[in-house]
Coordinates of all heavy atoms in Angstrom, one line a residue:
R55 N 41.9 -55.6 144.7 CA 43.0 -56.4 145.1 C 42.9 -57.8 144.5 O 41.9 -58.1 143.9 CB 43.1 -56.5 146.6 CG 43.2 -55.2 147.3 CD 43.6 -55.3 148.8 NE 43.6 -54.0 149.5 CZ 44.4 -53.0 149.4 NH1 45.4 -53.1 148.5 NH2 44.2 -51.9 150.1
E56 N 43.9 -58.6 144.6 CA 43.9 -60.0 144.1 C 43.5 -60.0 142.6 O 42.6 -60.7 142.3 CB 42.9 -60.9 145.0 CG 43.2 -60.9 146.4 CD 44.5 -61.7 146.8 OE1 44.7 -62.7 146.1 OE2 45.1 -61.3 147.8
N57 N 44.2 -59.3 141.8 CA 44.0 -59.2 140.4 C 42.5 -58.8 140.0 O 41.9 -59.4 139.1 CB 44.3 -60.5 139.7 CG 45.8 -60.8 139.8 OD1 46.6 -60.0 139.6 ND2 46.1 -62.1 140.2
G58 N 42.0 -57.9 140.8 CA 40.6 -57.4 140.5 C 39.5 -58.3 141.0 O 38.3 -58.0 140.7
K59 N 39.8 -59.3 141.8 CA 38.8 -60.2 142.3 C 38.3 -59.9 143.7 O 37.3 -60.4 144.1 CB 39.3 -61.7 142.3 CG 39.7 -62.2 140.9 CD 40.2 -63.6 141.0 CE 40.6 -64.0 139.6 NZ 41.3 -65.3 139.6
V60 N 38.9 -59.0 144.3 CA 38.6 -58.6 145.7 C 38.4 -57.1 145.8 O 39.3 -56.3 145.3 CB 39.6 -59.1 146.7 CG1 39.2 -58.6 148.1 CG2 39.7 -60.6 146.7
M61 N 37.3 -56.6 146.3 CA 37.1 -55.2 146.5 C 37.3 -54.8 148.0 O 36.5 -55.3 148.8 CB 35.6 -54.9 146.1 CG 35.3 -53.4 146.1 SD 33.5 -53.1 145.6 CE 33.6 -53.5 143.9
D62 N 38.3 -54.0 148.2 CA 38.6 -53.6 149.6 C 37.9 -52.3 149.8 O 38.3 -51.2 149.2 CB 40.1 -53.5 149.7 CG 40.6 -53.2 151.2 OD1 39.7 -52.9 152.0 OD2 41.8 -53.2 151.4
L63 N 36.9 -52.2 150.6 CA 36.1 -51.0 150.9 C 36.9 -50.3 152.0 O 36.9 -50.7 153.2 CB 34.7 -51.4 151.4 CG 33.9 -52.3 150.4 CD1 32.5 -52.5 150.9 CD2 33.9 -51.7 149.0
I64 N 37.5 -49.2 151.6 CA 38.5 -48.5 152.5 C 37.9 -47.2 153.2 O 38.4 -46.9 154.2 CB 39.7 -48.1 151.7 CG1 39.4 -47.2 150.5 CG2 40.5 -49.4 151.3 CD1 40.7 -46.6 149.8
H65 N 36.9 -46.6 152.6 CA 36.5 -45.3 153.3 C 35.1 -45.0 152.9 O 34.7 -45.0 151.7 CB 37.4 -44.2 152.9 CG 37.1 -42.9 153.4 ND1 37.2 -42.6 154.8 CD2 36.7 -41.7 152.9 CE1 36.8 -41.3 155.0 NE2 36.5 -40.8 153.9
T66 N 34.3 -44.6 153.8 CA 32.9 -44.1 153.6 C 32.8 -42.7 154.1 O 33.3 -42.4 155.2 CB 31.9 -45.0 154.3 OG1 32.0 -46.3 153.9 CG2 30.5 -44.5 154.0
F67 N 32.3 -41.8 153.3 CA 32.1 -40.4 153.7 C 30.7 -39.9 153.4 O 30.2 -40.1 152.3 CB 33.1 -39.5 153.0 CG 32.8 -38.0 153.3 CD1 33.3 -37.5 154.5 CD2 32.1 -37.2 152.4 CE1 33.0 -36.2 154.9 CE2 31.9 -35.9 152.8 CZ 32.3 -35.4 154.0
V68 N 30.1 -39.4 154.5 CA 28.8 -38.8 154.4 C 28.8 -37.4 155.0 O 29.2 -37.3 156.2 CB 27.7 -39.6 155.1 CG1 26.3 -39.0 155.0 CG2 27.6 -41.0 154.5
P69 N 28.6 -36.3 154.2 CA 28.6 -35.0 154.8 C 27.6 -34.8 155.8 O 26.5 -35.5 155.8 CB 28.4 -34.1 153.6 CG 27.6 -34.9 152.6 CD 28.1 -36.3 152.8
S70 N 27.8 -33.8 156.7 CA 26.8 -33.6 157.8 C 25.4 -33.3 157.3 O 24.5 -33.7 158.0 CB 27.3 -32.5 158.7 OG 27.5 -31.3 158.0
S71 N 25.3 -32.7 156.2 CA 24.0 -32.4 155.6 C 23.2 -33.7 155.2 O 22.0 -33.6 155.1 CB 24.1 -31.5 154.4 OG 24.8 -32.2 153.4
K72 N 23.9 -34.8 155.1 CA 23.2 -36.0 154.7 C 23.2 -37.1 155.8 O 22.7 -38.2 155.6 CB 23.8 -36.6 153.5 CG 23.7 -35.8 152.2 CD 24.3 -36.5 151.0 CE 24.2 -35.7 149.7 NZ 22.9 -35.3 149.3
R73 N 23.7 -36.8 156.9 CA 23.8 -37.8 158.0 C 22.4 -38.0 158.7 O 21.5 -37.1 158.6 CB 24.8 -37.3 159.1 CG 26.2 -37.4 158.5 CD 27.3 -37.1 159.5 NE 28.5 -37.1 158.7 CZ 29.6 -36.4 159.0 NH1 29.6 -35.6 160.1 NH2 30.7 -36.4 158.3
G74 N 22.3 -39.2 159.2 CA 21.0 -39.5 159.8 C 19.9 -40.0 158.9 O 18.8 -40.2 159.2
Q75 N 20.3 -40.2 157.6 CA 19.4 -40.7 156.6 C 19.7 -42.1 156.1 O 19.1 -42.6 155.2 CB 19.4 -39.7 155.4 CG 19.1 -38.3 155.7 CD 19.4 -37.4 154.5 OE1 19.3 -37.8 153.4 NE2 19.7 -36.1 154.8
G76 N 20.6 -42.8 156.8 CA 21.0 -44.1 156.4 C 21.9 -44.1 155.1 O 22.0 -45.2 154.4
M77 N 22.5 -43.0 154.8 CA 23.2 -42.9 153.5 C 24.4 -43.9 153.5 O 24.7 -44.5 152.4 CB 23.8 -41.5 153.4 CG 24.3 -41.1 152.0 SD 23.0 -41.2 150.7 CE 21.9 -39.9 151.3
A78 N 25.2 -44.0 154.6 CA 26.3 -44.9 154.6 C 25.8 -46.4 154.3 O 26.5 -47.1 153.6 CB 27.1 -44.9 155.9
S79 N 24.7 -46.7 154.8 CA 24.1 -48.0 154.6 C 23.7 -48.2 153.1 O 24.0 -49.3 152.5 CB 22.9 -48.3 155.5 OG 22.4 -49.6 155.2
H80 N 23.1 -47.2 152.5 CA 22.8 -47.3 151.1 C 24.0 -47.5 150.2 O 24.0 -48.2 149.3 CB 22.0 -46.0 150.7 CG 20.6 -45.9 151.3 ND1 19.6 -46.9 151.0 CD2 20.1 -45.0 152.0 CE1 18.5 -46.5 151.7 NE2 18.8 -45.4 152.3
L81 N 25.1 -46.7 150.6 CA 26.3 -46.8 149.8 C 26.9 -48.3 150.0 O 27.3 -48.9 149.0 CB 27.3 -45.8 150.3 CG 27.0 -44.4 150.0 CD1 27.8 -43.4 150.8 CD2 27.3 -44.1 148.5
S82 N 26.8 -48.8 151.2 CA 27.4 -50.1 151.4 C 26.6 -51.2 150.7 O 27.2 -52.1 150.1 CB 27.3 -50.4 152.9 OG 28.1 -49.5 153.6
V83 N 25.3 -51.1 150.7 CA 24.4 -52.0 150.0 C 24.8 -52.0 148.5 O 24.9 -53.1 147.9 CB 22.9 -51.8 150.2 CG1 22.0 -52.5 149.3 CG2 22.5 -52.1 151.7
A84 N 24.9 -50.8 147.9 CA 25.3 -50.7 146.5 C 26.6 -51.5 146.2 O 26.7 -52.2 145.2 CB 25.4 -49.3 146.1
A85 N 27.6 -51.3 147.1 CA 28.9 -51.9 146.9 C 28.8 -53.4 147.1 O 29.3 -54.2 146.3 CB 29.9 -51.4 147.9
F86 N 28.0 -53.9 148.1 CA 27.9 -55.3 148.3 C 27.1 -56.0 147.1 O 27.4 -57.1 146.7 CB 27.2 -55.6 149.6 CG 28.2 -55.7 150.8 CD1 28.8 -54.6 151.3 CD2 28.6 -56.9 151.3 CE1 29.7 -54.6 152.4 CE2 29.5 -57.0 152.4 CZ 30.0 -55.9 152.9
R87 N 26.1 -55.3 146.6 CA 25.3 -55.8 145.5 C 26.2 -55.9 144.3 O 26.2 -56.9 143.5 CB 24.1 -55.0 145.2 CG 23.0 -55.2 146.2 CD 21.8 -54.3 145.8 NE 20.7 -54.6 146.7 CZ 19.6 -53.8 146.9 NH1 19.6 -52.6 146.2 NH2 18.7 -54.1 147.7
H88 N 27.0 -54.9 144.0 CA 27.9 -54.9 142.9 C 28.9 -56.0 143.0 O 29.1 -56.8 142.0 CB 28.7 -53.5 142.9 CG 29.7 -53.5 141.8 ND1 29.4 -53.1 140.5 CD2 31.0 -53.8 141.8 CE1 30.5 -53.1 139.8 NE2 31.5 -53.5 140.5
A89 N 29.5 -56.2 144.2 CA 30.4 -57.3 144.4 C 29.8 -58.6 144.1 O 30.3 -59.5 143.4 CB 31.0 -57.2 145.8
A90 N 28.6 -58.8 144.7 CA 27.9 -60.1 144.5 C 27.6 -60.4 143.1 O 27.8 -61.5 142.6 CB 26.6 -60.1 145.4
S91 N 27.1 -59.4 142.3 CA 26.7 -59.6 140.9 C 27.9 -59.7 140.0 O 27.8 -60.2 138.9 CB 25.8 -58.4 140.5 OG 26.6 -57.2 140.4
H92 N 29.1 -59.3 140.5 CA 30.3 -59.5 139.7 C 31.3 -60.5 140.2 O 32.5 -60.6 139.8 CB 31.1 -58.1 139.6 CG 30.3 -57.1 138.7 ND1 29.3 -56.3 139.2 CD2 30.5 -56.8 137.4 CE1 28.8 -55.6 138.2 NE2 29.5 -55.8 137.1
S93 N 30.8 -61.4 141.1 CA 31.6 -62.5 141.7 C 32.8 -62.0 142.3 O 33.9 -62.6 142.2 CB 31.9 -63.6 140.6 OG 30.7 -64.1 140.1
L94 N 32.7 -60.9 143.1 CA 33.9 -60.3 143.8 C 33.7 -60.6 145.3 O 32.5 -60.7 145.7 CB 33.9 -58.8 143.6 CG 34.1 -58.3 142.2 CD1 34.0 -56.8 142.1 CD2 35.4 -58.7 141.6
S95 N 34.8 -60.6 146.0 CA 34.7 -60.7 147.5 C 35.0 -59.3 148.0 O 35.6 -58.5 147.3 CB 35.7 -61.7 148.0 OG 35.4 -63.0 147.6
I96 N 34.6 -59.1 149.3 CA 34.8 -57.8 149.9 C 35.7 -57.9 151.2 O 35.4 -58.8 152.0 CB 33.5 -57.1 150.3 CG1 32.8 -56.6 149.0 CG2 33.6 -56.0 151.3 CD1 31.5 -55.9 149.2
I97 N 36.6 -57.0 151.3 CA 37.4 -56.8 152.5 C 36.8 -55.5 153.1 O 36.9 -54.5 152.5 CB 38.9 -56.6 152.3 CG1 39.5 -57.9 151.6 CG2 39.6 -56.3 153.6 CD1 40.9 -57.7 151.2
P98 N 36.2 -55.6 154.3 CA 35.6 -54.5 155.0 C 36.6 -53.6 155.8 O 36.5 -53.6 157.0 CB 34.5 -55.1 155.8 CG 35.1 -56.4 156.2 CD 35.9 -56.9 155.1
T99 N 37.6 -53.0 155.2 CA 38.5 -52.2 155.9 C 37.9 -51.0 156.6 O 38.3 -50.7 157.7 CB 39.7 -51.8 154.9 OG1 40.3 -52.9 154.4 CG2 40.7 -50.9 155.6
C100 N 37.0 -50.3 155.9 CA 36.4 -49.2 156.5 C 35.7 -49.5 157.8 O 35.0 -50.5 157.9 CB 35.3 -48.6 155.5 SG 34.2 -47.4 156.2
S101 N 35.9 -48.8 158.9 CA 35.4 -49.1 160.2 C 33.9 -49.1 160.2 O 33.3 -49.9 160.9 CB 35.9 -48.1 161.3 OG 35.6 -46.8 161.0
Y102 N 33.2 -48.2 159.5 CA 31.8 -48.2 159.4 C 31.3 -49.6 158.9 O 30.4 -50.2 159.5 CB 31.2 -47.1 158.6 CG 29.7 -47.4 158.3 CD1 28.7 -47.1 159.3 CD2 29.3 -47.9 157.1 CE1 27.4 -47.4 159.0 CE2 28.0 -48.2 156.8 CZ 27.0 -48.0 157.8 OH 25.7 -48.3 157.6
I103 N 31.9 -50.1 157.9 CA 31.4 -51.3 157.2 C 31.7 -52.5 158.2 O 30.9 -53.3 158.4 CB 32.0 -51.5 155.8 CG1 31.5 -50.4 154.9 CG2 31.7 -52.9 155.3 CD1 32.2 -50.2 153.6
S104 N 32.9 -52.6 158.7 CA 33.3 -53.7 159.5 C 32.6 -53.7 160.9 O 32.3 -54.8 161.4 CB 34.8 -53.8 159.7 OG 35.3 -52.7 160.4
E105 N 32.4 -52.5 161.5 CA 31.9 -52.4 162.8 C 30.4 -52.2 162.9 O 29.8 -52.5 164.0 CB 32.6 -51.3 163.6 CG 34.1 -51.6 163.8 CD 34.9 -50.4 164.3 OE1 34.2 -49.5 164.9 OE2 36.1 -50.5 164.3
T106 N 29.8 -51.7 161.9 CA 28.4 -51.4 161.9 C 27.6 -52.1 160.8 O 26.6 -52.8 161.2 CB 28.1 -49.8 161.8 OG1 28.9 -49.2 162.8 CG2 26.7 -49.5 161.9
F107 N 27.9 -51.9 159.6 CA 27.1 -52.5 158.5 C 27.1 -54.0 158.5 O 26.0 -54.6 158.5 CB 27.6 -52.0 157.1 CG 26.8 -52.5 156.0 CD1 25.6 -51.9 155.7 CD2 27.2 -53.6 155.2 CE1 24.8 -52.5 154.6 CE2 26.5 -54.1 154.2 CZ 25.2 -53.5 153.9
V108 N 28.3 -54.6 158.5 CA 28.3 -56.1 158.5 C 27.6 -56.7 159.7 O 26.8 -57.6 159.5 CB 29.8 -56.6 158.3 CG1 29.8 -58.1 158.5 CG2 30.3 -56.2 156.9
P109 N 27.9 -56.3 160.9 CA 27.2 -56.9 162.1 C 25.6 -56.7 162.0 O 24.9 -57.6 162.4 CB 27.7 -56.1 163.3 CG 29.1 -55.7 162.9 CD 28.9 -55.4 161.4
R110 N 25.2 -55.6 161.4 CA 23.7 -55.4 161.3 C 23.1 -56.1 160.1 O 21.9 -56.2 160.0 CB 23.5 -53.9 161.1 CG 23.7 -53.1 162.3 CD 23.3 -51.6 162.1 NE 23.6 -50.8 163.3 CZ 23.6 -49.5 163.3 NH1 23.2 -48.8 162.2 NH2 23.9 -48.8 164.4
N111 N 24.0 -56.6 159.1 CA 23.5 -57.2 157.9 C 24.2 -58.5 157.7 O 25.0 -58.6 156.7 CB 23.7 -56.2 156.7 CG 22.9 -54.9 156.9 OD1 21.7 -54.9 156.6 ND2 23.6 -53.9 157.4
P112 N 24.1 -59.5 158.5 CA 24.8 -60.7 158.4 C 24.5 -61.5 157.1 O 25.3 -62.4 156.7 CB 24.4 -61.5 159.6 CG 23.1 -60.9 160.1 CD 23.2 -59.5 159.7
S113 N 23.4 -61.2 156.4 CA 23.1 -61.8 155.1 C 24.2 -61.6 154.1 O 24.3 -62.3 153.1 CB 21.8 -61.4 154.6 OG 21.8 -60.0 154.3
W114 N 25.0 -60.5 154.3 CA 26.1 -60.2 153.3 C 27.4 -60.9 153.7 O 28.4 -60.8 152.9 CB 26.4 -58.7 153.3 CG 25.3 -58.0 152.6 CD1 24.4 -57.1 153.1 CD2 25.0 -58.0 151.2 NE1 23.5 -56.6 152.2 CE2 23.9 -57.1 151.0 CE3 25.5 -58.7 150.1 CZ2 23.3 -56.9 149.7 CZ3 24.9 -58.5 148.9 CH2 23.8 -57.6 148.7
N115 N 27.5 -61.7 154.8 CA 28.7 -62.4 155.2 C 29.3 -63.3 154.1 O 30.5 -63.5 154.0 CB 28.5 -63.2 156.4 CG 28.4 -62.3 157.7 OD1 28.7 -61.1 157.6 ND2 28.0 -62.9 158.8
S116 N 28.4 -63.8 153.2 CA 28.9 -64.7 152.2 C 29.7 -64.0 151.1 O 30.4 -64.6 150.3 CB 27.7 -65.4 151.5 OG 26.8 -64.4 150.9
V117 N 29.6 -62.7 151.1 CA 30.4 -61.9 150.1 C 31.8 -61.5 150.6 O 32.7 -61.1 149.9 CB 29.6 -60.6 149.7 CG1 30.3 -59.8 148.6 CG2 28.2 -61.0 149.2
L118 N 32.0 -61.6 152.0 CA 33.2 -61.2 152.6 C 34.4 -62.1 152.1 O 34.2 -63.3 151.9 CB 33.1 -61.3 154.1 CG 32.1 -60.3 154.7 CD1 32.1 -60.5 156.2 CD2 32.5 -58.8 154.4
Y119 N 35.5 -61.5 151.9 CA 36.7 -62.2 151.5 C 37.2 -63.2 152.6 O 37.2 -62.8 153.8 CB 37.8 -61.1 151.3 CG 39.2 -61.7 150.9 CD1 39.4 -62.3 149.7 CD2 40.2 -61.7 151.8 CE1 40.6 -62.8 149.3 CE2 41.5 -62.2 151.5 CZ 41.6 -62.8 150.2 OH 42.9 -63.3 149.9
T120 N 37.5 -64.3 152.2 CA 38.0 -65.3 153.1 C 39.4 -65.8 152.6 O 39.7 -65.9 151.4 CB 37.1 -66.5 153.3 OG1 36.9 -67.1 152.0 CG2 35.8 -66.2 153.9
E121 N 40.3 -66.1 153.5 CA 41.6 -66.6 153.2 C 41.8 -67.9 154.0 O 41.7 -67.9 155.2 CB 42.6 -65.6 153.5 CG 44.0 -65.9 153.1 CD 45.0 -64.7 153.3 OE1 44.9 -64.1 154.3 OE2 45.8 -64.5 152.4

Side-chain angles (χ1 to χ4, degrees):
R55 303 198 187 283
E56 303 288 326
N57 297 316
K59 295 178 183 174
V60 177
M61 184 181 289
D62 187 349
L63 305 181
I64 58 171
H65 180 66
T66 303
F67 175 76
V68 177
S70 58
S71 63
K72 293 185 183 298
R73 292 189 185 147
Q75 302 172 27
M77 194 64 64
S79 179
H80 290 300
L81 291 162
S82 300
V83 167
F86 274 75
R87 284 182 177 160
H88 176 87
S91 68
H92 289 82
S93 300
L94 302 173
S95 295
I96 286 182
I97 297 172
T99 298
C100 169
S101 60
Y102 166 77
I103 295 169
S104 64
E105 297 171 13
T106 304
F107 182 78
V108 171
R110 289 182 183 172
N111 299 277
S113 62
W114 287 113
N115 286 349
S116 62
V117 182
L118 295 177
Y119 177 73
T120 58
E121 188 172 42

